Amino acid sequence: MASTQNPNNPAAARRAKLEEARRKERARERRGRILTIGASVAVVAALVAGGGYLMAQADEKEKKDQQAKTSPVTGERSWDKLTQEHVATKVDYPMNPPVGGDHNQVWMNCAGDVYKDAVPNVNAVHSLEHGAVWVTYNEKASDADVEALAKKVKATPYSLMSPVKDQKDPLMLSAWGKQVTVKSASDDRVAQFFTKYVQGPQTPEPGAACTGGLDK
């Protein structure tokens, strides 16, 4: 009787090939597990690092926002004791653009609205009462600055923008009782003014609507 260990035995040869195939398959599985574990570790490490970076960015932004809110805006002008009556007539405001006072009962829509033409002061003032920031410009402002500020307004709820032909400076920002002239759209005071006064502490009616009003 022939021995099963005889390499010339067909059955033994088949068993040897099958065992070799199984050995190679186990080796592939081990390599696959190692690669999977390595990839998982890399992904987790990347997520941890990315999460830490995002948290650091968020902390830095919070610090900057807090500093913007608590620091005075250089060159800012302020008015207090502004009246808030609803009127149906034109109002002669002591500043241009106006930053508060009696106004029409209908506000200008200020959910990031950019108006190409002048808007009624009496309606824009009502928007300021609701916590909006109003960006205005005259014909001396550069197209690049106007475009950049329009982009910022469109991305900011509780803001609006319109031309004011007879204002004294090319670029001005107004909130209720607050106003500043800026040199350009990249002036640091633009971001600070928005951070500080969009729905800021100066707002007489925080949370009031900026939609459903006048949309000229």
Side-chain angles (χ1 to χ4, degrees):
M1 182 176 179
S3 171
T4 57
Q5 300 301 318
N6 187 340
N8 295 322
N9 186 309
R14 286 195 296 272
R15 285 195 294 272
K17 288 181 180 180
L18 181 60
E19 181 60 28
E20 179 63 15
R22 288 173 176 170
R23 185 188 66 77
K24 290 180 178 180
E25 180 62 25
R26 288 193 295 271
R28 281 195 295 270
E29 289 177 353
R30 284 195 298 271
R31 288 195 297 271
R33 285 195 296 270
I34 291 170
L35 289 173
T36 299
I37 292 170
S40 298
V41 169
V43 168
V44 170
L47 289 173
V48 170
Y53 175 72
L54 291 175
M55 288 180 64
Q57 278 194 319
D59 288 344
E60 185 63 23
K61 183 180 184 303
E62 185 176 352
K63 289 178 182 178
K64 287 183 178 179
D65 286 351
Q66 188 60 32
Q67 184 177 6
K69 290 176 181 179
T70 56
S71 301
V73 179
T74 303
E76 176 188 277
R77 298 174 294 280
S78 297
W79 293 262
D80 55 12
K81 298 180 181 179
L82 296 167
T83 57
Q84 295 175 240
E85 298 297 326
H86 286 176
V87 296
T89 58
K90 183 179 178 180
V91 178
D92 185 18
Y93 295 104
M95 73 294 287
N96 185 40
V99 300
D102 295 344
H103 50 270
N104 192 276
Q105 65 178 351
V106 180
W107 55 89
M108 289 301 303
N109 283 343
C110 46
D113 293 86
V114 175
Y115 300 97
K116 297 299 183 182
D117 299 315
V119 301
N121 284 342
V122 289
N123 302 102
V125 168
H126 196 157
S127 302
L128 302 185
E129 185 183 45
H130 288 189
V133 163
W134 184 16
V135 178
T136 56
Y137 61 96
N138 63 23
E139 68 278 1
K140 294 181 180 179
S142 72
D143 292 341
D145 282 332
V146 171
E147 183 178 351
L149 288 170
K151 183 177 180 181
K152 182 170 184 62
V153 168
K154 288 177 181 178
T156 308
Y158 285 95
S159 71
L160 70 161
M161 181 174 178
S162 69
V164 174
K165 185 177 180 180
D166 57 348
Q167 68 180 31
K168 67 183 183 68
D169 298 311
L171 298 170
M172 300 176 71
L173 279 63
S174 302
W176 184 270
K178 306 291 181 180
Q179 190 171 83
V180 68
T181 292
V182 295
K183 297 178 181 178
S184 68
S186 60
D187 191 317
D188 290 342
R189 292 173 297 170
V190 173
Q192 183 184 7
F193 199 89
F194 270 74
T195 299
K196 190 168 185 173
Y197 294 128
V198 169
Q199 286 285 284
Q202 85 294 340
T203 305
E205 297 181 4
C210 248
T211 59
L214 183 63
D215 187 6
K216 188 175 179 181

